[in-house]
Amino acid sequence: MTLIQVRNLKKSFGELEVLKDINVEINEREVVCVIGPSGSGKSTFLRCLNRLEDISGGHVVIDGQDITDTKLDINKIRENVGMVFQQFNLFPHMTALQNIMLAPMKLRKSDKGEIEKKALELLRKVGLSDKAHVYPGELSGGQKQRVAIARALAMDPSIMLFDEPTSALDPEVVGDVLGVMKQLALEGMTMVVVTHEMGFAREVGDRVIFMDGGYIVEENVPEELFGNPQEVRTQSFLSKVL
Amino acid sequence: MDTIIASLPYLVQGLKVTLYIFFFSIIIGFLIGLVVALIRLTPFKILNWIAKAFVDIIRGTPFIVQLFFIYFGVNSLEFISLDRTVAGILTVSLNAGAYFSEIIRTGIQSIDKGQAEASRSLGLSQAYTMRAVILPQAFRRMLPTITNQSIISFKDTSLLSIIGIADIVQKGKVQASATFQPFEIWLTVGVIYFVIIYLMSLLSSFVERRFELR
């Protein structure tokens, strides 16, 4: 089943056209990795999927609902689309547990005990049970990002978006975060991952999209895209990063 | 010393008025500041312009002119009548409100955009994001400047004696001429102001420390 459908997506910042004509479909349970040089529009593309960026043209359909329709309650859609950021963006004035519980406490009907139990469960899942009552300032980068993943999962989303989740991390903790993401993928989460981790894209991705200059230049299963790239631009990019 | 002790009950009476006016002014002023700051952060052009004009006018005129304008000027209009206390509280509130609005606006803008994005990406509304994520962090950052403006506004209330409000300065004037000992009386008034402002600073650093640590 198609969960994300993007048709003729365009995005401009003033004069600068960052996304020129993006067309892509992503199925349920699929893990799609988006790679490309910086400035290629991959992060902007991801941010259009939950309308963190206003969409300039075209359509983005999430689970059957066109989010470019301004009459639509975007907050309802966002509950269903978790997002993880490069800079974590944890709320520094709340403990790890409070970070995770903030959205469900406001948006879910369930009682506090139930939400807390679920939040602790999520912390256990990302391997940080012992950090429930710790503030973000006392966590390492890798721990922060794992809390951020738990927070994004708190509303039980059916789609998870990752915007370069390991780019701000020290090399030795990248593996912890990728491990959590891999686990999620194995559980069948639909994921769109903008990343520079080619190893992760190759191992976990069902499909890899290569973007450059505001277009999707090439997309394929990882073995093909990495092993036998068709486009010159893909070849040139891969020769630099692999 | 006897003069001071004899005058103290009168001065304390005035101090009560000063504190009463300050208390209401600072609360109303803060609310005005919050509303004006939030308006200035919305994209509505006309509202924005009005809010900015308000801040510019208050900043561009002396407090005493604002006070006279409201107490003598506005009061001379036939359809309105403000007693001195109301006029005094109104002037201090509007004045503090304009300065608070700038403190709050820049405080909110100093919070990283990623904070709002993370909150919105969870499906939380803009209003709730402001209340639960942005303002608590911004407030912590604003605290020293808020204290500073509160102290300035506290001292501004001393000018209200000019329109006949029986604050501590007004009482001081009366006592100074009644006792013929202006040195002792004004020294006492000064010490009282100093002690209260010092206590305000202490309270502020205490609150700051309670919030910091994270």
mmCIF file of all heavy atoms in Angstrom, chain B residues 24-65:
data_model
loop_
_atom_site.group_PDB
_atom_site.id
_atom_site.type_symbol
_atom_site.label_atom_id
_atom_site.label_comp_id
_atom_site.label_asym_id
_atom_site.label_seq_id
_atom_site.Cartn_x
_atom_site.Cartn_y
_atom_site.Cartn_z
ATOM 1 N N PHE B 24 0.281 46.193 41.067
ATOM 2 C CA PHE B 24 -0.698 46.109 39.976
ATOM 3 C C PHE B 24 -0.080 46.501 38.643
ATOM 4 O O PHE B 24 -0.336 45.866 37.619
ATOM 5 C CB PHE B 24 -1.923 46.978 40.292
ATOM 6 C CG PHE B 24 -2.813 46.334 41.304
ATOM 7 C CD1 PHE B 24 -2.854 46.776 42.615
ATOM 8 C CD2 PHE B 24 -3.601 45.229 40.943
ATOM 9 C CE1 PHE B 24 -3.667 46.157 43.555
ATOM 10 C CE2 PHE B 24 -4.410 44.616 41.886
ATOM 11 C CZ PHE B 24 -4.443 45.069 43.187
ATOM 12 N N SER B 25 0.765 47.541 38.655
ATOM 13 C CA SER B 25 1.360 48.022 37.410
ATOM 14 C C SER B 25 2.228 46.941 36.765
ATOM 15 O O SER B 25 2.222 46.769 35.552
ATOM 16 C CB SER B 25 2.223 49.249 37.660
ATOM 17 O OG SER B 25 1.445 50.266 38.225
ATOM 18 N N ILE B 26 2.979 46.224 37.601
ATOM 19 C CA ILE B 26 3.935 45.286 37.024
ATOM 20 C C ILE B 26 3.188 44.079 36.438
ATOM 21 O O ILE B 26 3.563 43.547 35.400
ATOM 22 C CB ILE B 26 5.008 44.880 38.069
ATOM 23 C CG1 ILE B 26 6.366 44.729 37.402
ATOM 24 C CG2 ILE B 26 4.682 43.604 38.795
ATOM 25 C CD1 ILE B 26 6.958 46.005 36.912
ATOM 26 N N ILE B 27 2.106 43.670 37.077
ATOM 27 C CA ILE B 27 1.330 42.551 36.552
ATOM 28 C C ILE B 27 0.621 42.957 35.257
ATOM 29 O O ILE B 27 0.721 42.276 34.236
ATOM 30 C CB ILE B 27 0.314 42.050 37.598
ATOM 31 C CG1 ILE B 27 1.074 41.346 38.724
ATOM 32 C CG2 ILE B 27 -0.697 41.097 36.962
ATOM 33 C CD1 ILE B 27 0.197 40.949 39.885
ATOM 34 N N ILE B 28 -0.051 44.107 35.296
ATOM 35 C CA ILE B 28 -0.730 44.575 34.083
ATOM 36 C C ILE B 28 0.305 44.847 32.990
ATOM 37 O O ILE B 28 0.121 44.479 31.838
ATOM 38 C CB ILE B 28 -1.566 45.845 34.373
ATOM 39 C CG1 ILE B 28 -2.627 45.531 35.440
ATOM 40 C CG2 ILE B 28 -2.235 46.356 33.098
ATOM 41 C CD1 ILE B 28 -3.307 46.768 36.010
ATOM 42 N N GLY B 29 1.405 45.469 33.382
ATOM 43 C CA GLY B 29 2.467 45.772 32.426
ATOM 44 C C GLY B 29 3.000 44.520 31.764
ATOM 45 O O GLY B 29 3.236 44.481 30.556
ATOM 46 N N PHE B 30 3.187 43.463 32.548
ATOM 47 C CA PHE B 30 3.716 42.222 31.985
ATOM 48 C C PHE B 30 2.714 41.628 30.990
ATOM 49 O O PHE B 30 3.109 41.148 29.921
ATOM 50 C CB PHE B 30 4.028 41.214 33.093
ATOM 51 C CG PHE B 30 4.791 40.025 32.584
ATOM 52 C CD1 PHE B 30 6.159 40.097 32.361
ATOM 53 C CD2 PHE B 30 4.135 38.839 32.291
ATOM 54 C CE1 PHE B 30 6.862 39.012 31.873
ATOM 55 C CE2 PHE B 30 4.830 37.751 31.803
ATOM 56 C CZ PHE B 30 6.198 37.843 31.592
ATOM 57 N N LEU B 31 1.436 41.668 31.348
ATOM 58 C CA LEU B 31 0.419 41.134 30.436
ATOM 59 C C LEU B 31 0.370 41.951 29.134
ATOM 60 O O LEU B 31 0.301 41.378 28.048
ATOM 61 C CB LEU B 31 -0.956 41.125 31.120
ATOM 62 C CG LEU B 31 -1.061 40.143 32.294
ATOM 63 C CD1 LEU B 31 -2.424 40.247 32.970
ATOM 64 C CD2 LEU B 31 -0.805 38.707 31.824
ATOM 65 N N ILE B 32 0.442 43.281 29.277
ATOM 66 C CA ILE B 32 0.492 44.123 28.072
ATOM 67 C C ILE B 32 1.704 43.733 27.231
ATOM 68 O O ILE B 32 1.613 43.532 26.027
ATOM 69 C CB ILE B 32 0.575 45.632 28.450
ATOM 70 C CG1 ILE B 32 -0.735 46.086 29.100
ATOM 71 C CG2 ILE B 32 0.887 46.482 27.209
ATOM 72 C CD1 ILE B 32 -0.686 47.524 29.651
ATOM 73 N N GLY B 33 2.850 43.593 27.908
ATOM 74 C CA GLY B 33 4.082 43.236 27.199
ATOM 75 C C GLY B 33 3.954 41.917 26.464
ATOM 76 O O GLY B 33 4.362 41.792 25.307
ATOM 77 N N LEU B 34 3.344 40.931 27.114
ATOM 78 C CA LEU B 34 3.193 39.610 26.502
ATOM 79 C C LEU B 34 2.304 39.699 25.264
ATOM 80 O O LEU B 34 2.646 39.178 24.195
ATOM 81 C CB LEU B 34 2.602 38.635 27.533
ATOM 82 C CG LEU B 34 2.545 37.173 27.127
ATOM 83 C CD1 LEU B 34 3.945 36.630 26.862
ATOM 84 C CD2 LEU B 34 1.869 36.335 28.217
ATOM 85 N N VAL B 35 1.179 40.386 25.412
ATOM 86 C CA VAL B 35 0.250 40.502 24.284
ATOM 87 C C VAL B 35 0.897 41.264 23.123
ATOM 88 O O VAL B 35 0.852 40.816 21.975
ATOM 89 C CB VAL B 35 -1.059 41.203 24.730
ATOM 90 C CG1 VAL B 35 -1.935 41.531 23.531
ATOM 91 C CG2 VAL B 35 -1.823 40.320 25.712
ATOM 92 N N VAL B 36 1.548 42.380 23.431
ATOM 93 C CA VAL B 36 2.177 43.170 22.369
ATOM 94 C C VAL B 36 3.283 42.356 21.683
ATOM 95 O O VAL B 36 3.395 42.352 20.463
ATOM 96 C CB VAL B 36 2.739 44.499 22.937
ATOM 97 C CG1 VAL B 36 3.580 45.232 21.899
ATOM 98 C CG2 VAL B 36 1.603 45.391 23.410
ATOM 99 N N ALA B 37 4.062 41.622 22.481
ATOM 100 C CA ALA B 37 5.140 40.807 21.902
ATOM 101 C C ALA B 37 4.556 39.747 20.975
ATOM 102 O O ALA B 37 5.050 39.535 19.865
ATOM 103 C CB ALA B 37 5.960 40.144 23.004
ATOM 104 N N LEU B 38 3.500 39.074 21.415
ATOM 105 C CA LEU B 38 2.906 38.014 20.591
ATOM 106 C C LEU B 38 2.317 38.608 19.311
ATOM 107 O O LEU B 38 2.443 38.014 18.244
ATOM 108 C CB LEU B 38 1.845 37.246 21.388
ATOM 109 C CG LEU B 38 2.410 36.403 22.537
ATOM 110 C CD1 LEU B 38 1.288 35.730 23.333
ATOM 111 C CD2 LEU B 38 3.385 35.334 22.025
ATOM 112 N N ILE B 39 1.698 39.795 19.430
ATOM 113 C CA ILE B 39 1.169 40.444 18.222
ATOM 114 C C ILE B 39 2.306 40.731 17.246
ATOM 115 O O ILE B 39 2.196 40.487 16.057
ATOM 116 C CB ILE B 39 0.440 41.766 18.579
ATOM 117 C CG1 ILE B 39 -0.887 41.445 19.264
ATOM 118 C CG2 ILE B 39 0.208 42.612 17.331
ATOM 119 C CD1 ILE B 39 -1.629 42.667 19.783
ATOM 120 N N ARG B 40 3.419 41.206 17.784
ATOM 121 C CA ARG B 40 4.530 41.551 16.888
ATOM 122 C C ARG B 40 5.154 40.329 16.234
ATOM 123 O O ARG B 40 5.877 40.444 15.253
ATOM 124 C CB ARG B 40 5.602 42.352 17.642
ATOM 125 C CG ARG B 40 5.092 43.746 17.981
ATOM 126 C CD ARG B 40 6.196 44.709 18.199
ATOM 127 N NE ARG B 40 7.054 44.852 17.036
ATOM 128 C CZ ARG B 40 8.176 45.536 17.046
ATOM 129 N NH1 ARG B 40 8.592 46.101 18.123
ATOM 130 N NH2 ARG B 40 8.902 45.632 15.947
ATOM 131 N N LEU B 41 4.884 39.166 16.770
ATOM 132 C CA LEU B 41 5.430 37.941 16.169
ATOM 133 C C LEU B 41 4.439 37.309 15.192
ATOM 134 O O LEU B 41 4.742 36.301 14.578
ATOM 135 C CB LEU B 41 5.812 36.935 17.261
ATOM 136 C CG LEU B 41 6.979 37.388 18.143
ATOM 137 C CD1 LEU B 41 7.112 36.516 19.381
ATOM 138 C CD2 LEU B 41 8.274 37.358 17.342
ATOM 139 N N THR B 42 3.246 37.875 15.071
ATOM 140 C CA THR B 42 2.296 37.351 14.077
ATOM 141 C C THR B 42 2.526 38.071 12.754
ATOM 142 O O THR B 42 3.144 39.124 12.720
ATOM 143 C CB THR B 42 0.830 37.603 14.494
ATOM 144 O OG1 THR B 42 0.608 39.010 14.559
ATOM 145 C CG2 THR B 42 0.509 36.962 15.829
ATOM 146 N N PRO B 43 2.010 37.483 11.666
ATOM 147 C CA PRO B 43 2.216 38.144 10.375
ATOM 148 C C PRO B 43 1.144 39.181 10.015
ATOM 149 O O PRO B 43 1.149 39.682 8.907
ATOM 150 C CB PRO B 43 2.179 36.971 9.386
ATOM 151 C CG PRO B 43 1.381 35.918 10.049
ATOM 152 C CD PRO B 43 1.397 36.172 11.535
ATOM 153 N N PHE B 44 0.239 39.528 10.955
ATOM 154 C CA PHE B 44 -0.815 40.485 10.598
ATOM 155 C C PHE B 44 -0.273 41.905 10.563
ATOM 156 O O PHE B 44 0.074 42.473 11.594
ATOM 157 C CB PHE B 44 -1.984 40.391 11.593
ATOM 158 C CG PHE B 44 -2.514 38.999 11.741
ATOM 159 C CD1 PHE B 44 -2.459 38.342 12.963
ATOM 160 C CD2 PHE B 44 -3.051 38.333 10.645
ATOM 161 C CE1 PHE B 44 -2.919 37.041 13.096
ATOM 162 C CE2 PHE B 44 -3.523 37.035 10.778
ATOM 163 C CZ PHE B 44 -3.453 36.389 12.002
ATOM 164 N N LYS B 45 -0.233 42.466 9.370
ATOM 165 C CA LYS B 45 0.445 43.744 9.130
ATOM 166 C C LYS B 45 -0.070 44.886 9.999
ATOM 167 O O LYS B 45 0.703 45.591 10.632
ATOM 168 C CB LYS B 45 0.320 44.137 7.649
ATOM 169 C CG LYS B 45 1.318 43.416 6.773
ATOM 170 C CD LYS B 45 2.133 44.422 5.935
ATOM 171 C CE LYS B 45 3.300 43.742 5.236
ATOM 172 N NZ LYS B 45 2.852 42.804 4.191
ATOM 173 N N ILE B 46 -1.402 45.066 10.007
ATOM 174 C CA ILE B 46 -1.969 46.244 10.677
ATOM 175 C C ILE B 46 -1.763 46.159 12.190
ATOM 176 O O ILE B 46 -1.284 47.104 12.818
ATOM 177 C CB ILE B 46 -3.474 46.407 10.336
ATOM 178 C CG1 ILE B 46 -3.617 46.602 8.823
ATOM 179 C CG2 ILE B 46 -4.083 47.585 11.094
ATOM 180 C CD1 ILE B 46 -5.038 46.632 8.322
ATOM 181 N N LEU B 47 -2.089 44.991 12.751
ATOM 182 C CA LEU B 47 -1.878 44.775 14.192
ATOM 183 C C LEU B 47 -0.420 45.007 14.569
ATOM 184 O O LEU B 47 -0.095 45.634 15.581
ATOM 185 C CB LEU B 47 -2.275 43.350 14.568
ATOM 186 C CG LEU B 47 -3.769 43.105 14.774
ATOM 187 C CD1 LEU B 47 -4.028 41.635 15.042
ATOM 188 C CD2 LEU B 47 -4.275 43.947 15.942
ATOM 189 N N ASN B 48 0.448 44.480 13.718
ATOM 190 C CA ASN B 48 1.871 44.611 13.903
ATOM 191 C C ASN B 48 2.311 46.059 13.965
ATOM 192 O O ASN B 48 3.114 46.462 14.802
ATOM 193 C CB ASN B 48 2.539 44.019 12.660
ATOM 194 C CG ASN B 48 3.471 42.923 13.028
ATOM 195 O OD1 ASN B 48 4.406 43.165 13.766
ATOM 196 N ND2 ASN B 48 3.205 41.730 12.568
ATOM 197 N N TRP B 49 1.758 46.806 13.021
ATOM 198 C CA TRP B 49 2.098 48.223 12.923
ATOM 199 C C TRP B 49 1.640 48.956 14.178
ATOM 200 O O TRP B 49 2.379 49.772 14.731
ATOM 201 C CB TRP B 49 1.432 48.801 11.672
ATOM 202 C CG TRP B 49 1.855 50.211 11.403
ATOM 203 C CD1 TRP B 49 2.958 50.611 10.699
ATOM 204 C CD2 TRP B 49 1.195 51.394 11.871
ATOM 205 N NE1 TRP B 49 3.029 51.980 10.697
ATOM 206 C CE2 TRP B 49 1.955 52.499 11.399
ATOM 207 C CE3 TRP B 49 0.045 51.640 12.615
ATOM 208 C CZ2 TRP B 49 1.607 53.815 11.669
ATOM 209 C CZ3 TRP B 49 -0.308 52.954 12.891
ATOM 210 C CH2 TRP B 49 0.463 54.028 12.417
ATOM 211 N N ILE B 50 0.432 48.641 14.646
ATOM 212 C CA ILE B 50 -0.096 49.289 15.848
ATOM 213 C C ILE B 50 0.800 48.968 17.054
ATOM 214 O O ILE B 50 1.175 49.841 17.838
ATOM 215 C CB ILE B 50 -1.547 48.834 16.126
ATOM 216 C CG1 ILE B 50 -2.465 49.312 14.997
ATOM 217 C CG2 ILE B 50 -2.035 49.365 17.475
ATOM 218 C CD1 ILE B 50 -3.875 48.763 15.074
ATOM 219 N N ALA B 51 1.170 47.701 17.182
ATOM 220 C CA ALA B 51 2.001 47.273 18.306
ATOM 221 C C ALA B 51 3.350 47.984 18.279
ATOM 222 O O ALA B 51 3.854 48.450 19.305
ATOM 223 C CB ALA B 51 2.189 45.758 18.275
ATOM 224 N N LYS B 52 3.923 48.060 17.082
ATOM 225 C CA LYS B 52 5.231 48.694 16.956
ATOM 226 C C LYS B 52 5.121 50.189 17.262
ATOM 227 O O LYS B 52 5.985 50.767 17.934
ATOM 228 C CB LYS B 52 5.791 48.471 15.550
ATOM 229 C CG LYS B 52 7.089 49.211 15.283
ATOM 230 C CD LYS B 52 8.031 48.384 14.448
ATOM 231 C CE LYS B 52 9.457 48.921 14.431
ATOM 232 N NZ LYS B 52 9.596 50.366 14.480
ATOM 233 N N ALA B 53 4.047 50.816 16.776
ATOM 234 C CA ALA B 53 3.832 52.245 17.027
ATOM 235 C C ALA B 53 3.717 52.498 18.531
ATOM 236 O O ALA B 53 4.299 53.454 19.060
ATOM 237 C CB ALA B 53 2.577 52.728 16.302
ATOM 238 N N PHE B 54 2.987 51.627 19.229
ATOM 239 C CA PHE B 54 2.850 51.750 20.686
ATOM 240 C C PHE B 54 4.216 51.744 21.361
ATOM 241 O O PHE B 54 4.532 52.621 22.189
ATOM 242 C CB PHE B 54 1.968 50.610 21.208
ATOM 243 C CG PHE B 54 2.028 50.412 22.696
ATOM 244 C CD1 PHE B 54 1.475 51.340 23.566
ATOM 245 C CD2 PHE B 54 2.651 49.282 23.241
ATOM 246 C CE1 PHE B 54 1.538 51.154 24.936
ATOM 247 C CE2 PHE B 54 2.713 49.091 24.602
ATOM 248 C CZ PHE B 54 2.159 50.035 25.455
ATOM 249 N N VAL B 55 5.032 50.766 20.999
ATOM 250 C CA VAL B 55 6.364 50.663 21.604
ATOM 251 C C VAL B 55 7.193 51.903 21.289
ATOM 252 O O VAL B 55 7.844 52.473 22.168
ATOM 253 C CB VAL B 55 7.087 49.389 21.117
ATOM 254 C CG1 VAL B 55 8.521 49.350 21.637
ATOM 255 C CG2 VAL B 55 6.329 48.144 21.563
ATOM 256 N N ASP B 56 7.147 52.337 20.033
ATOM 257 C CA ASP B 56 7.938 53.503 19.631
ATOM 258 C C ASP B 56 7.514 54.760 20.384
ATOM 259 O O ASP B 56 8.356 55.558 20.798
ATOM 260 C CB ASP B 56 7.798 53.735 18.117
ATOM 261 C CG ASP B 56 8.608 52.708 17.337
ATOM 262 O OD1 ASP B 56 9.484 52.064 17.950
ATOM 263 O OD2 ASP B 56 8.359 52.536 16.135
ATOM 264 N N ILE B 57 6.203 54.917 20.537
ATOM 265 C CA ILE B 57 5.704 56.124 21.216
ATOM 266 C C ILE B 57 6.134 56.132 22.680
ATOM 267 O O ILE B 57 6.632 57.141 23.196
ATOM 268 C CB ILE B 57 4.159 56.219 21.100
ATOM 269 C CG1 ILE B 57 3.778 56.563 19.658
ATOM 270 C CG2 ILE B 57 3.602 57.274 22.070
ATOM 271 C CD1 ILE B 57 2.308 56.389 19.362
ATOM 272 N N ILE B 58 5.982 55.005 23.352
ATOM 273 C CA ILE B 58 6.374 54.950 24.761
ATOM 274 C C ILE B 58 7.877 55.163 24.913
ATOM 275 O O ILE B 58 8.326 55.915 25.786
ATOM 276 C CB ILE B 58 5.973 53.595 25.398
ATOM 277 C CG1 ILE B 58 4.459 53.423 25.403
ATOM 278 C CG2 ILE B 58 6.558 53.457 26.798
ATOM 279 C CD1 ILE B 58 3.714 54.295 26.377
ATOM 280 N N ARG B 59 8.635 54.526 24.022
ATOM 281 C CA ARG B 59 10.078 54.674 24.133
ATOM 282 C C ARG B 59 10.547 56.067 23.773
ATOM 283 O O ARG B 59 11.570 56.535 24.256
ATOM 284 C CB ARG B 59 10.785 53.665 23.207
ATOM 285 C CG ARG B 59 10.957 52.326 23.853
ATOM 286 C CD ARG B 59 12.159 51.600 23.299
ATOM 287 N NE ARG B 59 12.008 51.304 21.886
ATOM 288 C CZ ARG B 59 12.576 50.246 21.311
ATOM 289 N NH1 ARG B 59 13.306 49.414 22.023
ATOM 290 N NH2 ARG B 59 12.422 50.027 20.042
ATOM 291 N N GLY B 60 9.766 56.720 22.911
ATOM 292 C CA GLY B 60 10.191 58.018 22.384
ATOM 293 C C GLY B 60 9.726 59.212 23.199
ATOM 294 O O GLY B 60 9.968 60.353 22.810
ATOM 295 N N THR B 61 9.034 58.956 24.302
ATOM 296 C CA THR B 61 8.580 60.090 25.125
ATOM 297 C C THR B 61 8.961 59.847 26.581
ATOM 298 O O THR B 61 9.034 58.709 27.028
ATOM 299 C CB THR B 61 7.041 60.253 25.038
ATOM 300 O OG1 THR B 61 6.422 59.002 25.355
ATOM 301 C CG2 THR B 61 6.595 60.678 23.653
ATOM 302 N N PRO B 62 9.185 60.927 27.341
ATOM 303 C CA PRO B 62 9.561 60.764 28.750
ATOM 304 C C PRO B 62 8.379 60.263 29.577
ATOM 305 O O PRO B 62 7.225 60.579 29.268
ATOM 306 C CB PRO B 62 9.952 62.173 29.197
ATOM 307 C CG PRO B 62 10.050 62.995 27.962
ATOM 308 C CD PRO B 62 9.206 62.341 26.933
ATOM 309 N N PHE B 63 8.692 59.574 30.622
ATOM 310 C CA PHE B 63 7.653 59.026 31.503
ATOM 311 C C PHE B 63 6.743 60.131 32.032
ATOM 312 O O PHE B 63 5.523 59.997 32.070
ATOM 313 C CB PHE B 63 8.324 58.283 32.676
ATOM 314 C CG PHE B 63 7.342 57.698 33.656
ATOM 315 C CD1 PHE B 63 6.789 56.447 33.438
ATOM 316 C CD2 PHE B 63 6.960 58.409 34.784
ATOM 317 C CE1 PHE B 63 5.871 55.916 34.330
ATOM 318 C CE2 PHE B 63 6.042 57.885 35.683
ATOM 319 C CZ PHE B 63 5.501 56.636 35.453
ATOM 320 N N ILE B 64 7.351 61.237 32.413
ATOM 321 C CA ILE B 64 6.571 62.313 33.040
ATOM 322 C C ILE B 64 5.558 62.910 32.058
ATOM 323 O O ILE B 64 4.444 63.270 32.437
ATOM 324 C CB ILE B 64 7.543 63.390 33.602
ATOM 325 C CG1 ILE B 64 6.827 64.302 34.591
ATOM 326 C CG2 ILE B 64 8.175 64.211 32.529
ATOM 327 C CD1 ILE B 64 6.929 63.811 35.986
ATOM 328 N N VAL B 65 5.943 62.933 30.761
ATOM 329 C CA VAL B 65 5.010 63.443 29.743
ATOM 330 C C VAL B 65 3.848 62.456 29.572
ATOM 331 O O VAL B 65 2.688 62.845 29.449
ATOM 332 C CB VAL B 65 5.748 63.672 28.403
ATOM 333 C CG1 VAL B 65 4.768 64.063 27.307
ATOM 334 C CG2 VAL B 65 6.815 64.745 28.563
#
